[in-house]
């Protein structure tokens, strides 16, 4: 755990990652022949849980594979074995599938990732009007778009041309330009800025949103105090995306209120439910 935690802590600093890896190879010699496998499995589990998708994290994981001297086929097999061993962790396995597909280039290596895709697809029910395979594909695309959106806002308000990183994330130039234009129009406000600006909104003890004068805003009169006042934009397709990390989930029609109940948090990054936005997947 200490090894995995330190490697993740130094994510993006390749020199520190190299030194950390070298130190722990010596410290963990007592693990014996299975040392390498146990180290990389624990690292990948922690990496998938704590590191968000970004051009930097793709580069870091690729570098980690090189520290272990893994061929593409071997890296793909390790990813597949690990993901299949934790079928209940769909958020982490979805991220590892994304990383694998954007780091590994050979058709043979990518073919070894297919069992992960199949497992994820089988975990979705068919009552949302879309197949499990399509859900996985759209979730993977949404993950890349959310990562690029975050990269764009992180680049700051003074940028005047397309932010680098879209190719690494597997986006087309057209999609990257669309995202960049949308963020430019909104002033390049990051998800964290948006989150904390929302936190300044005022609510009464029934969870009803108030205006600047302290009066209940229109449309809030029917709230009975059993919710926290935040709302989730409706989605005709049942798809909802976290605006903070890009995690996408699919909710059966009619179950939205129960699903996004009080205290709901993103299973991937812990963001509040007001970070989730309904997505019409047929438009993607």
């Amino acid at each position: 755990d200490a090894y995995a935690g330190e490697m993740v802590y130094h994510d993006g600093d390749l020199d520190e990652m190299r030194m950390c890896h070298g130190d722990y190879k010596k410290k963990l010699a007592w693990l014996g022949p299975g040392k390498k496998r146990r180290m990389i499995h624990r690292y990948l589990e922690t990496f998938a849980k704590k590191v968000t998708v970004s051009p930097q994290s793709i580069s870091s994981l690729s570098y980690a594979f090189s520290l272990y001297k893994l061929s593409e086929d071997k890296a793909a097999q390790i990813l597949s074995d690990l993901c299949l061993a934790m079928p209940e962790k769909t958020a982490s396995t979805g991220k590892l599938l994304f990383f694998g597909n954007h780091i590994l280039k050979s058709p043979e290596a990518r073919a070894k990732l297919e069992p992960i895709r199949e497992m994820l697809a089988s975990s979705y029910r068919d009552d949302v009007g879309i197949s499990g395979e399509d859900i996985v594909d759209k979730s993977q695309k949404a993950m890349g778009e959310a990562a690029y959106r975050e990269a764009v806002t992180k680049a700051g308000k003074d940028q005047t041309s397309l932010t680098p990183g879209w190719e690494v994330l597997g986006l087309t130039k057209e999609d990257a330009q669309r995202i960049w234009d949308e963020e430019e129009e909104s002033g390049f406000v990051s998800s964290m800025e948006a989150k904390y600006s929302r936190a300044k909104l005022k609510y009464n003890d029934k969870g009803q949103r108030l205006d600047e004068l302290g009066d209940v805003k229109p449309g809030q009169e029917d709230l009975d105090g059993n919710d926290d006042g935040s709302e989730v934009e409706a989605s005709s397709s049942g798809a909802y995306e976290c605006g903070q990390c890009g995690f996408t989930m699919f909710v059966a029609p009619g179950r939205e209120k129960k699903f996004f109940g009080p205290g709901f948090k993103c299973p991937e990054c812990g963001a509040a439910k007001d970070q989730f936005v309904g997505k019409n997947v047929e438009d993607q």
Side-chain angles (χ1 to χ4, degrees):
D1 287 352
Y3 164 72
E6 285 194 38
M7 285 287 284
V8 167
Y9 176 79
H10 293 303
D11 183 68
D13 189 331
L14 304 188
D15 287 337
E16 287 292 341
M17 288 177 65
R18 175 179 52 78
M19 289 188 286
C20 175
H21 180 72
D23 287 344
Y24 274 92
K25 277 180 65 178
K26 298 174 184 176
K27 291 179 182 178
L28 299 177
W30 58 272
L31 289 174
K35 174 184 68 176
K36 180 177 178 179
R37 187 176 186 83
R38 291 175 66 178
M39 286 175 68
I40 193 168
H41 272 214
R42 194 69 189 103
Y43 166 64
L44 288 171
E45 287 181 51
T46 305
F47 186 88
K49 182 178 180 180
K50 295 188 176 182
V51 179
T52 57
V53 173
S54 68
Q56 174 184 294
S57 59
I58 290 174
S59 175
S60 292
L61 185 54
S62 178
Y63 182 66
F65 285 155
S66 73
L67 291 175
Y68 284 97
K69 297 181 171 59
L70 297 176
S71 66
E72 287 209 343
D73 280 4
K74 186 63 176 177
Q77 192 62 58
I78 288 173
L79 286 171
S80 183
D81 290 345
L82 176 62
C83 289
L84 296 181
M86 49 182 195
E88 73 287 354
K89 298 182 179 179
T90 55
S92 290
T93 54
K95 283 169 71 175
L96 290 175
L97 175 62
F98 184 92
F99 283 122
N101 275 324
H102 290 79
I103 292 173
L104 309 176
K105 305 302 181 185
S106 74
E108 295 79 11
R110 289 188 173 183
K112 290 187 176 182
L113 300 176
E114 279 305 303
I116 306 175
R117 181 183 298 277
E118 293 169 2
M119 180 187 72
L120 287 170
S122 68
S123 70
Y124 292 106
R125 301 187 307 181
D126 294 330
D127 59 358
V128 294
I130 183 173
S131 71
E133 290 79 6
D134 284 342
I135 290 175
V136 174
D137 289 342
K138 293 179 185 300
S139 296
Q140 293 284 297
K141 181 179 180 181
M143 206 177 295
E145 290 191 353
Y148 185 64
R149 196 175 296 279
E150 193 67 20
V152 171
T153 57
K154 189 176 181 180
K157 297 177 172 59
D158 296 329
Q159 56 186 315
T160 57
S161 59
L162 206 56
T163 311
W166 56 272
E167 292 174 297
V168 177
L169 293 165
L171 302 183
T172 64
K173 189 172 183 178
E174 291 73 21
D175 281 339
Q177 189 65 60
R178 170 180 56 80
I179 292 170
W180 195 93
D181 290 342
E182 290 171 357
E183 295 307 317
E184 180 189 32
E185 185 176 348
S186 64
F188 298 113
V189 177
S190 70
S191 60
M192 291 302 290
E193 288 178 295
K195 177 181 178 181
Y196 285 112
S197 66
R198 289 180 185 179
K200 297 177 182 178
L201 296 174
K202 295 181 179 179
Y203 299 88
N204 63 15
D205 57 5
K206 292 184 178 181
Q208 297 168 320
R209 189 175 296 173
L210 307 178
D211 61 20
E212 293 81 358
L213 300 177
D215 297 323
V216 176
K217 298 190 73 171
Q220 299 285 300
E221 296 86 351
D222 294 333
L223 288 178
D224 58 7
N226 293 324
D227 205 345
D228 60 6
S230 59
E231 303 169 355
V232 177
E233 178 185 338
S235 168
S236 60
S237 66
Y240 295 86
E241 178 184 297
C242 176
Q244 188 159 318
C245 72
F247 179 69
T248 302
M249 56 179 58
F250 291 77
V251 182
R255 292 179 55 83
E256 296 87 354
K257 186 172 182 180
K258 182 175 181 180
F259 192 90
F260 292 105
F264 173 88
K265 292 183 179 180
C266 175
E268 183 61 39
C269 69
K273 69 178 179 180
D274 64 356
Q275 290 291 317
F276 276 79
V277 178
K279 295 183 70 66
N280 294 319
V281 295
E282 64 270 19
D283 295 335
Q284 293 188 23

